[in-house]
Amino acid sequence: MTHVNLKSSTVSQELYQPLHQQLPQCDATRVCPVLPDQDWLQLGLARILHECKSGRGFLQEYGLHFPQCPELGHLFESLKSGRRARLLQELNQRLQVELARQIPDLLARVPALADFDVFAGDGHWHAAAAHDPVIEGTKYATGHFFGLNLRTHGMVHLTVADQAARLKEHDMRALKRLEISTLRQDAPQGQKVLWIWDKAGIDFQQWHRWKHGAGIYFLSCQKENMKLGVIAQNRWEAQALVNQGVLADELVSTSQGVMVRRVTYRDPIGGETFHFLTNELTLPPGIIAQLYRLRWDIEKVFDEFKNKLSEKKAWASGATAKTIQAQFLCLMHNLLRLFEVRVLAPAQVQNQAQDRRRLQRLGAVQAQLQE
């Protein structure tokens, strides 16, 4: 791990250092005299960091700080560039590799997951752009589908919701549109990929096809009106610490005739009972329950997007422009993750107020569990 001397560099330089290292190696770069890729990237990241309600307002307030500030029209034209969208995607893929190299594996203490790449996935919505069309009296919000690598907390953009045929696209419809390579996220051959999705990610027949055709597994939570027939009871170690709270581990049949696994778990804190469904049959049931709990981490990233980075509205119309905005959000999140491990951790920078709140919550939980 690189230890950074903050006295000899600025915070901005250290934040963007991984970007500058990776950009020359990207295949999607091109020479653009009017707005070079490096300047365009820093403009986009600056817009993520600064709270501006419009592109015009951003350029008026911050444009003078950039050596090559484009005209407003040129900035919006650049958001239509498929080549620049591919560049952002490539940069995020390269940063995923850097995150895996520099950040300690957050799931390393669970040996049973050694053969799995694990992602939390969900949809996230922005308000419509100023010039989005009004359809039957409604400006539809912009949907995106993201994934969070639970080993590194690196963020990936999977796809933008259908902008033409289905303006409020369902999660599973969007997932079915994706290439297998996108769902596998560059996992090597033989490595399993587990996606943790909420109830909108349930399609048992599609789960079956992905599992047997591509080594892709899904984990979700049972819907209230779902009718499932019990086929068999799985054996599990009730006394093992990892399985504390597990009430049942069953194989069940769905109305489509597909067999899946159902783990029933009671939260020891709130006492609420959950039913988790998955097509993964080998992991201990307690790990299945805790993995679904970790899905909440992607919701916290969405909260970061909305409340810390103030990204609540689409920048421009068109699928490419919306994709570019989402890729910029992932790029900023991933750069901040690397900044945290490269700069803040070695310098022992801590959020003391947050640490105090966490300790207070843990103390309350321990007292409740003891009771």
Side-chain angles (χ1 to χ4, degrees):
M1 184 183 300
T2 303
H3 291 270
V4 178
N5 182 2
L6 287 176
K7 293 181 180 179
S8 61
S9 60
T10 68
V11 169
S12 178
Q13 287 172 336
E14 295 306 329
L15 176 63
Y16 294 136
Q17 185 188 43
L19 179 68
H20 299 323
Q21 289 175 337
Q22 297 298 329
L23 181 59
Q25 304 175 50
C26 291
D27 296 328
T29 56
R30 296 290 185 276
V31 175
C32 180
V34 178
L35 184 57
D37 285 338
Q38 183 163 316
D39 294 343
W40 180 77
L41 288 166
Q42 291 199 231
L43 269 171
L45 291 169
R47 186 168 177 187
I48 293 288
L49 285 175
H50 295 100
E51 186 174 355
C52 291
K53 295 183 179 180
S54 69
R56 182 186 300 276
F58 169 70
L59 288 183
Q60 287 176 342
E61 189 167 352
Y62 298 103
L64 294 176
H65 298 286
F66 294 94
Q68 286 187 261
C69 182
E71 297 290 333
L72 179 65
H74 188 81
L75 177 63
F76 277 97
E77 280 300 312
S78 73
L79 295 177
K80 300 177 185 178
S81 169
R83 196 270 303 175
R84 302 229 198 210
R86 292 192 298 275
L87 175 61
L88 282 168
Q89 182 180 20
E90 186 177 355
L91 281 168
N92 273 316
Q93 289 171 337
R94 290 177 175 277
L95 288 187
Q96 296 300 322
V97 176
E98 281 301 298
L99 285 165
R101 187 177 69 85
Q102 296 194 36
I103 291 181
D105 184 353
L106 299 175
L107 299 179
R109 292 186 296 174
V110 189
L113 292 173
D115 295 332
F116 289 86
D117 286 352
V118 188
F119 296 87
D122 205 354
H124 181 61
W125 296 82
H126 292 147
H131 298 290
D132 276 350
V134 177
I135 301 175
E136 297 181 354
T138 302
K139 264 195 178 185
Y140 285 89
T142 299
H144 292 280
F145 300 94
F146 293 92
L148 181 71
N149 186 327
L150 292 181
R151 292 192 180 276
T152 64
H153 273 201
M155 198 72 168
V156 297
H157 180 245
L158 299 175
T159 187
V160 64
D162 191 335
Q163 298 293 295
R166 196 68 63 88
L167 294 173
K168 295 184 72 174
E169 188 173 23
H170 190 273
D171 296 36
M172 184 48 70
R173 183 179 183 272
L175 289 172
K176 288 179 180 178
R177 290 194 287 107
L178 298 178
E179 300 286 341
I180 291 298
S181 58
T182 300
L183 284 172
R184 284 194 57 83
Q185 287 295 306
D186 298 323
Q189 187 174 3
Q191 184 81 350
K192 303 172 186 176
V193 177
L194 175 61
W195 280 94
I196 308 163
W197 214 278
D198 64 9
K199 298 172 185 178
I202 292 179
D203 183 323
F204 296 123
Q205 290 182 334
Q206 187 62 49
W207 284 13
H208 180 80
R209 288 190 285 269
W210 277 328
K211 173 181 175 179
H212 293 281
I216 297 168
Y217 298 77
F218 268 73
L219 165 61
S220 189
C221 199
Q222 182 174 325
K223 298 178 182 179
E224 290 76 8
N225 60 348
M226 194 171 281
K227 304 296 182 182
L228 301 170
V230 178
I231 299 174
Q233 302 284 342
N234 291 324
R235 292 184 178 182
W236 52 284
E237 295 182 55
Q239 302 306 314
L241 287 176
V242 71
N243 292 327
Q244 296 303 298
V246 174
L247 302 180
D249 186 358
E250 306 163 308
L251 297 178
V252 297
S253 176
T254 71
S255 58
Q256 295 89 6
V258 178
M259 184 189 74
V260 295
R261 179 185 185 187
R262 178 171 66 187
V263 172
T264 303
Y265 175 82
R266 184 172 60 218
D267 179 13
I269 300 172
E272 187 176 358
T273 299
F274 299 89
H275 301 284
F276 303 113
L277 299 175
T278 182
N279 56 351
E280 203 295 314
L281 307 180
T282 64
L283 292 171
I287 290 179
I288 294 293
Q290 293 306 316
L291 282 174
Y292 193 84
R293 182 182 65 83
L294 291 178
R295 198 198 72 82
W296 185 249
D297 287 353
I298 196 170
E299 301 291 353
K300 292 190 287 187
V301 177
F302 293 153
D303 181 74
E304 168 194 303
F305 287 173
K306 182 179 179 181
N307 296 312
K308 297 291 179 64
L309 300 176
S310 297
E311 287 299 313
K312 304 175 184 179
K313 184 177 179 179
W315 287 354
S317 300
T320 301
K322 295 175 189 294
T323 297
I324 282 176
Q325 181 182 7
Q327 289 285 4
F328 265 125
L329 277 166
C330 291
L331 188 61
M332 177 53 71
H333 172 85
N334 295 334
L335 287 171
L336 287 170
R337 283 290 293 148
L338 286 168
F339 183 79
E340 184 178 23
V341 72
R342 291 178 56 255
V343 178
L344 299 185
Q348 297 184 326
V349 177
Q350 293 178 302
N351 187 334
Q352 295 181 348
Q354 186 180 65
D355 291 343
R356 284 195 297 271
R357 290 193 296 270
R358 184 182 295 112
L359 289 174
Q360 289 173 353
R361 287 196 302 271
L362 284 173
V365 167
Q366 289 170 348
Q368 190 170 352
L369 287 173
Q370 202 165 21
E371 183 180 345

